[in-house]
Amino acid sequence: MNKTHSVDSSGQPAWIIRRAVLRRPGRAAATGVFMRRTFLGVKNNPFGFIVDCLASPVLMLLIFTYLFGGAIAGSTSEYIQFLLPGALVLIVAPMTVYSGTTLCQDIAKGVHNRFRTMSVWPPASVLGPIITDSLRYVVASIVTIGIGLLLGFRPEGGSGGVLMALGYAVFFAFSISWIFAMMGIVVKKPETVSGTSMVMIYPLLFASSIFVDSATMPGWLGRIVDYNPISLAASALRGLMHGTATAADLAWGIGMGALLIVVFAPLTFYFFRKHNTR
């Protein structure tokens, strides 16, 4: 029978409709679908986004600037110059756990089992949420810088340095998110991802050069703090925003973030494929 003779209710030939339904979307299109899904989840439940991106930067900067500024630097206006670049890491790093909890929730609820029946590129359901979470990092970083300017922060590196620092803060958070994405696939409960993140991130945040210069610490402790990944990121941000970044600072900062992606992104997809074959 001539395939053009069969039509559907809209008047289109049935073979065209079947081909459109069976056509597998490309990788970029599939990833975009899952990005939109994650964005709609944030849009429908904005409270957490508001707390993370608006309330946290305000509270963190006000507390640490006015509580410790006078004691550490003798002046809050001087301390904010040192604190704010590192505060970008302090604000965005804890947000990276969402990449893991979102994946873990979908797996625990069986949502990923439904995704497996769809004719889409399987890694898109992992990559989409991770990319969309970068929106949190961008908004939180912009708010942090804005509040810092109101409190007296003056970046000597100018607007160019601020924009580069903003990009690096998002890149660094994106690199950390792969650790928790892998964890979200391996563990069975979102609560485990959240609890483990606190044990991992907060010791690194407070044992870093975000709040004080490592040169003021005992020698052995200063050396440990200097090689803390959080300290490397804070040093890179400080150099970019104040125009003092050296090639070594940028190499350490970018290299460390790239290493995290190179190690944990493949591991994330490996465990994801292993989960899908069960």
Side-chain angles (χ1 to χ4, degrees), residues 34 37 102-103 105-118 125:
F34 286 99
R37 174 180 178 265
T102 299
L103 288 171
Q105 285 174 350
D106 282 346
I107 292 173
K109 293 179 179 178
V111 177
H112 266 280
N113 289 332
R114 301 177 202 170
F115 294 158
R116 290 164 61 181
T117 66
M118 299 167 60
S125 61

Side-chain angles (χ1 to χ4, degrees), residues 149-160:
L149 291 173
L150 292 176
L151 295 179
F153 176 69
R154 296 296 178 263
E156 297 175 8
S159 58

Side-chain angles (χ1 to χ4, degrees), residues 51-133:
V51 170
D52 287 335
C53 299
L54 299 178
S56 291
V58 173
L59 290 175
M60 289 289 187
L61 285 179
L62 289 177
I63 289 172
F64 286 107
T65 299
Y66 292 106
L67 188 62
F68 298 121
I72 294 176
S75 166
T76 55
S77 60
E78 290 183 15
Y79 186 59
I80 191 68
Q81 313 306 319
F82 180 86
L83 173 67
L84 189 128
L88 288 176
V89 185
L90 177 67
I91 297 298
V92 301
M95 296 181 188
T96 59
V97 69
Y98 289 119
S99 296
T101 55
T102 299
L103 288 171
C104 193
Q105 285 174 350
D106 282 346
I107 292 173
K109 293 179 179 178
V111 177
H112 266 280
N113 289 332
R114 301 177 202 170
F115 294 158
R116 290 164 61 181
T117 66
M118 299 167 60
S119 181
V120 295
W121 183 50
S125 61
V126 175
L127 192 57
I130 292 176
I131 295 175
T132 307
D133 281 339

